[in-house]
Amino acid sequence: MSSPLTRLQETIRRSDQERTPRFVPLDGAGDDVLDALGSETSRRIYRRLLDAPGSPSAVAEAVDTSVQNASHHVTNLEAAGLIEP
């Protein structure tokens, strides 16, 4: 059975279509990843951004939250290195 982080990383789409999992060590950086994905809202935003990048208002609408809340979660996802602007 694969770990949740492995399954999550296997969903990342790469330009070369490679599906090699990216492993995150469970040290300070791993803690940031787990913290950033700790809420259901942040996971919904992360999945939405993996499917299609979008403006803050489009992402907020897609996951049924406020723009301010979406911005908070996007900032955390970016700080953890899970997404890029």
Side-chain angles (χ1 to χ4, degrees):
M1 174 185 278
S2 62
S3 74
L5 276 178
T6 301
R7 289 193 304 272
L8 176 68
Q9 293 303 325
E10 287 173 347
T11 66
I12 294 176
R13 294 187 179 99
R14 299 198 174 119
S15 60
D16 62 1
Q17 299 301 314
E18 183 180 48
R19 299 278 180 169
T20 304
R22 184 181 89 185
F23 294 93
V24 179
L26 294 178
D27 55 12
D31 290 343
D32 292 343
V33 169
L34 294 174
D35 289 343
L37 296 171
S39 77
E40 177 62 29
T41 301
S42 62
R43 291 188 301 273
R44 288 187 350 240
I45 289 171
Y46 185 62
R47 285 189 296 265
R48 165 56 171 78
L49 290 172
L50 285 175
D51 288 339
S55 68
S57 59
V59 171
E61 184 177 330
V63 300
D64 193 29
T65 192
S66 68
V67 174
Q68 294 83 1
N69 192 34
S71 292
H72 167 76
H73 290 289
V74 166
T75 298
N76 291 342
L77 292 168
E78 186 178 347
L82 292 170
I83 61 172
E84 295 179 350

